[in-house]
Amino acid sequence: QSVLTQPPSVSGAPGQRVTISCTGSSSNIGAGYDVHWYQHLPGTAPKLLIYGNTNRPSGVPDRFSGSKSGTSASLAITGLQAEDEADYYCQSYDSSLNWVFGGGTKLTVL
Amino acid sequence: QVQLQESGPGLVKPSETLSLTCTVSGGSISGYYWSWIRQPAGKGLECIGRIYSGGITKYNPSLKGRVTMSVDTSKNQFSLKLSSLTAADTAVYYCARSNPWFDPWGQGTLVTVSS
């Protein structure tokens, strides 16, 4: 069981907006530690999507955005495209466990 | 552009020690933290630990003293040793630079623990 909780799956039609939640606790997200998000296609290296809660690395489309509030964070994807179908992971720091990941969310584009 | 590449055996026997190396190219290993992360088949990502270029380490307590990391700045490499292997250690192992976000990552290497 992961320290950060994500829904196992989400889905949406092309062009729609989806959100992926990441719920933590007072020892990680709630303690003020930043949340980062990754996109992972099977057989490839995970790709950084969002760092420091809301920041996009160069080259990541602005269709991807992140937010954080309290003990939770969210990744939003607007204008859903077929190429967005992948696994998404949140990551933060836990004061007792070191760096931790969410369990991952599989995004299906219908 | 910094690139990372994992290397090591794809098959190791139970109770033995796994040794993996990550080679950093396109940039210096100095001045950064570097991490090992793994993903068992069908499961999520797990951070094994990290090492600073100066040699300071921090390991995931769930691995209970089985982990040792080292760095060789002259070769621009860092390494992972994981001892007392069991089938539960079968996974794809990634190396990554820690910022504290992980970027970039290596392509990953599949390690199977089996006799």
Side-chain angles (χ1 to χ4, degrees), chain A residues 16-20 63-64 75-80 84 88 107:
Chain A
Q16 285 189 334
R17 177 181 186 270
V18 296
T19 61
I20 299 172
R63 302 186 296 105
F64 295 90
L75 173 71
I77 309 172
T78 58
L80 207 56
D84 298 332
Y88 292 83
L107 169 63

Side-chain angles (χ1 to χ4, degrees), chain A residues 8-110:
Chain A
S9 63
V10 297
S11 62
Q16 285 189 334
R17 177 181 186 270
V18 296
T19 61
I20 299 172
S21 61
C22 175
T23 302
S25 68
S26 58
S27 65
N28 42 69
I29 299 175
Y33 295 111
D34 287 340
V35 178
H36 321 294
W37 291 90
Y38 304 88
Q39 179 189 62
H40 191 200
L41 294 162
T44 69
K47 173 187 174 183
L48 178 68
L49 274 184
I50 299 288
Y51 67 94
N53 306 314
T54 61
N55 303 291
R56 279 188 312 277
S58 172
V60 173
D62 59 7
R63 302 186 296 105
F64 295 90
S65 63
S67 63
K68 174 190 164 186
S69 178
T71 58
S72 296
S74 289
L75 173 71
I77 309 172
T78 58
L80 207 56
Q81 299 180 4
E83 66 199 48
D84 298 332
E85 189 161 292
D87 296 324
Y88 292 83
Y89 292 88
C90 62
Q91 176 242 322
S92 186
Y93 183 86
D94 188 283
S95 55
S96 61
L97 295 172
N98 206 340
W99 285 321
V100 290
F101 287 94
T105 298
K106 182 175 181 58
L107 169 63
T108 300
V109 181
L110 302 171

Side-chain angles (χ1 to χ4, degrees), chain B residues 13-18 65-66 82-87 89 113:
Chain B
K13 291 182 168 54
S15 80
E16 293 189 344
T17 296
L18 169 67
R66 298 195 294 132
L82 183 63
S83 63
S84 304
L85 294 171
T86 70
D89 295 309
V113 180

Side-chain angles (χ1 to χ4, degrees), chain B residues 25-73:
Chain B
S25 59
S28 175
I29 200 171
S30 298
Y32 292 96
Y33 285 94
W34 304 89
S35 291
W36 288 96
I37 299 151
R38 68 180 182 179
Q39 183 176 33
K43 296 187 178 182
L45 298 165
E46 177 185 36
C47 184
I48 298 169
R50 71 178 187 266
I51 184 166
Y52 185 64
S53 57
I56 298 171
T57 57
K58 187 161 187 178
Y59 305 137
N60 187 331
S62 71
L63 291 165
K64 297 178 182 177
R66 298 195 294 132
V67 179
T68 304
M69 293 183 184
S70 60
V71 62
D72 187 337
T73 54

